[in-house]
Amino acid sequence: MRQRLCQAMPLLCPGAKLSYLAVMQPITTTAELAAACARLARHPFVTVDTEFLRETTYYPLLCVVQIASTDEAVVLDALAPGIDLSPFFALMTDEKVLKVFHAARQDIEIVWHRAGVLPHPIFDTQVAAMVLGYGDSISYDQLVQRITGDMLDKSNRFTDWTRRPLSDAQLTYAVSDVTHLRDVYLALSADLQKRGRAEWVSAEMEILTSPKTYRADPEHAWERLRTRVRKPKELAVLMEVAAWREREAQTRDVPRGRVLKDDVLGDLAVQAPATVERLGQLRSLPKGFERSKWGEAIVEAVNRGLARDPKTLPLLERSRGTANGGATVELLKVLLRMTSERHDVAAKVIATVDDLESIAADDEADVPALKGWRREVFGDKALALKRGQLALAVEKGRVVPVERK
């Protein structure tokens, strides 16, 4: 494998395939960080990646940041005593510099949590790869191999990034991630321009840079749960206990599952234990849990849910479609796969199963598949298929659309 080890020294030329003899030292002071960010800000784009831990916390613990321009790569020790990360956050919001990530959501969430700002403008190579037909949610190492031919050494991916000093192997891994990302970005960007799909990616970046994507509002915590509730009373209780769990996890800075598992929330919503005694009868809770301070708090949340006015609750999602709704969704899946193959775009980025179910139930469904470029390549045809204006046929072993009069 070609290692690109860097000591913040210039490359001979952008995109050069070089190896260095020594591993750089990480940035550990605010002055070093400010100087590095000033140099990086002179470039039209930088590649960014982070190393963090989240197994035992609600909020991700930022450990390391690696950044590269076409001239250099730097590694920032985010846990260095006394270091002020303000220069890094300023670079992330510099409108003159495009920030390139792969699978950007978690990296952006960290910046949002630490500084209350969102990196902008950005480019996500995973999204771009899906738009260009590399498959659904392609991993970074697979994308690097397909574009550059290099095999990444991922053995340090799950090492303990909180331990100091950082090892040479960790630093090599960190630098390699962002230097390869330069080549990936340049290749994908050129292909997007060639195929006229740059705007498709830009539309996705608007979602990734929207504050509401990262706000963990306890009052909306229930929306992320897959627990199915059928009655208004169950929904009201679910909303209250989910909000309590979210606040508790945030306050204690522990993962949600450390407070209560998702399936326990569903059980609470259905059983609605309004007393400590009834809470103790739930088999999904550990024996004696009802006598803890959390047991009393949960009962209070249940009772708040039971006391809510049903008129103030969101409408429960009804069973979608008619008796043939399932068959319609299956037809839409075939159309989606055909569209994905025809345009060489990952099906996942065109429409989700939820989108298809919504379209099957409502011609005016408020889903991404019926907006923008997705409507052009798929949404209009999906509606036409549903209305009987379009049929699917097999010609020479391939599914093709056939307009019906």
Side-chain angles (χ1 to χ4, degrees):
M1 167 184 167
R2 283 188 297 246
Q3 299 287 0
R4 288 188 236 189
L5 310 183
C6 179
Q7 283 195 321
M9 58 190 297
L11 300 178
L12 294 180
C13 62
K17 304 279 188 179
L18 296 180
S19 297
Y20 293 105
L21 299 178
V23 178
M24 65 180 296
Q25 293 301 308
I27 292 172
T28 57
T29 70
T30 305
E32 290 175 318
L33 177 59
C37 288
R39 294 193 304 271
L40 292 165
R42 301 185 189 124
H43 294 266
F45 77 90
V46 293
T47 54
V48 188
D49 190 24
T50 64
E51 308 300 337
F52 57 90
L53 293 182
R54 198 174 195 166
E55 288 79 4
T56 60
T57 60
Y58 179 89
Y59 299 105
L61 173 63
L62 179 61
C63 302
V64 172
V65 180
Q66 50 266 44
I67 317 170
S69 68
T70 52
D71 282 350
E72 66 175 304
V74 298
V75 174
L76 160 62
D77 181 356
L79 298 180
I83 194 166
D84 182 355
L85 301 184
S86 295
F88 166 65
F89 298 134
L91 177 63
M92 291 299 96
T93 55
D94 189 333
E95 291 293 328
K96 299 187 296 296
V97 183
L98 179 70
K99 275 67 68 173
V100 179
F101 300 86
H102 182 83
R105 185 179 290 256
Q106 291 193 88
D107 300 309
I108 293 174
E109 182 187 7
I110 290 172
V111 175
W112 173 255
H113 169 61
R114 289 290 300 268
V117 298
L118 291 170
H120 192 275
I122 68 165
F123 183 97
D124 189 328
T125 55
Q126 187 178 70
V127 174
M130 287 194 287
V131 165
L132 291 169
Y134 284 84
D136 291 349
S137 304
I138 187 171
S139 68
Y140 179 60
D141 51 328
Q142 289 174 329
L143 188 58
V144 168
Q145 184 178 5
R146 288 181 62 177
I147 288 179
T148 71
D150 291 343
M151 294 281 291
L152 293 182
D153 179 2
K154 306 298 287 185
S155 58
N156 282 278
R157 182 178 182 183
F158 297 111
T159 57
D160 185 353
W161 290 95
T162 64
R163 296 187 64 180
R164 295 296 181 270
L166 294 166
S167 69
D168 285 355
Q170 286 177 309
L171 293 169
T172 298
Y173 166 85
V175 169
S176 179
D177 259 5
V178 286
T179 52
H180 280 91
L181 190 54
R182 292 182 304 212
D183 300 328
V184 170
Y185 162 67
L186 292 171
L188 293 179
S189 180
D191 200 7
L192 286 169
Q193 294 294 337
K194 179 181 177 181
R195 295 166 67 176
R197 296 183 180 180
E199 288 304 312
W200 294 15
V201 174
S202 296
E204 296 306 297
M205 297 307 99
E206 291 179 15
I207 297 172
L208 283 172
T209 54
S210 170
K212 69 179 183 180
T213 301
Y214 306 97
R215 285 180 182 140
D217 183 356
E219 304 309 315
H220 293 279
W222 66 275
E223 295 175 355
R224 62 172 293 277
L225 298 170
R226 294 188 177 183
T227 302
R228 298 286 183 178
V229 291
R230 295 176 176 82
K231 302 175 184 177
K233 179 195 75 170
E234 295 173 355
L235 175 60
V237 173
L238 180 67
M239 292 172 70
E240 289 293 341
V241 294
W244 172 82
R245 182 182 72 165
E246 198 76 12
R247 286 190 291 268
E248 190 70 17
Q250 291 174 353
T251 301
R252 291 161 55 188
D253 193 19
V254 296
R256 298 178 183 94
R258 290 278 186 94
V259 181
L260 284 179
K261 300 290 186 185
D262 285 1
D263 59 342
V264 177
L265 293 186
D267 201 9
L268 288 168
V270 174
Q271 300 298 327
T275 65
V276 170
E277 291 72 27
R278 287 213 41 209
L279 183 67
Q281 297 171 11
L282 262 65
R283 296 178 62 181
S284 54
L285 286 173
K287 189 174 181 180
F289 183 88
E290 74 278 5
R291 294 191 295 273
S292 69
K293 64 179 181 180
W294 299 295
E296 185 176 337
I298 290 170
V299 169
E300 290 175 359
V302 169
N303 282 299
R304 285 196 301 272
L306 293 174
R308 290 187 68 151
D309 182 352
K311 295 178 182 177
T312 66
L313 301 174
L315 290 176
L316 280 169
E317 186 177 295
R318 297 179 179 178
S319 180
R320 286 175 171 158
T322 64
N324 291 322
T328 302
V329 172
E330 292 305 314
L331 275 176
L332 291 174
K333 287 181 180 178
V334 175
L335 176 66
L336 176 60
R337 182 172 178 178
M338 181 203 76
T339 304
S340 169
E341 293 173 352
R342 179 180 179 185
H343 292 277
D344 198 18
V345 181
K348 181 179 178 181
V349 83
I350 299 174
T352 65
V353 173
D354 284 345
D355 287 351
L356 302 185
E357 290 177 351
S358 296
I359 293 170
D362 182 5
D363 286 5
E364 303 296 328
D366 184 17
V367 294
L370 292 182
K371 298 175 183 177
W373 66 268
R374 291 179 176 85
R375 180 157 190 147
E376 258 181 65
V377 301
F378 173 75
D380 284 335
K381 293 181 179 64
L383 294 176
L385 178 65
K386 178 186 167 185
R387 295 165 182 161
Q389 299 164 346
L390 186 75
L392 299 178
V394 177
E395 290 183 3
K396 298 180 180 179
R398 298 189 65 181
V399 177
V400 296
V402 178
E403 290 188 11
R404 298 178 63 189
K405 294 183 180 179

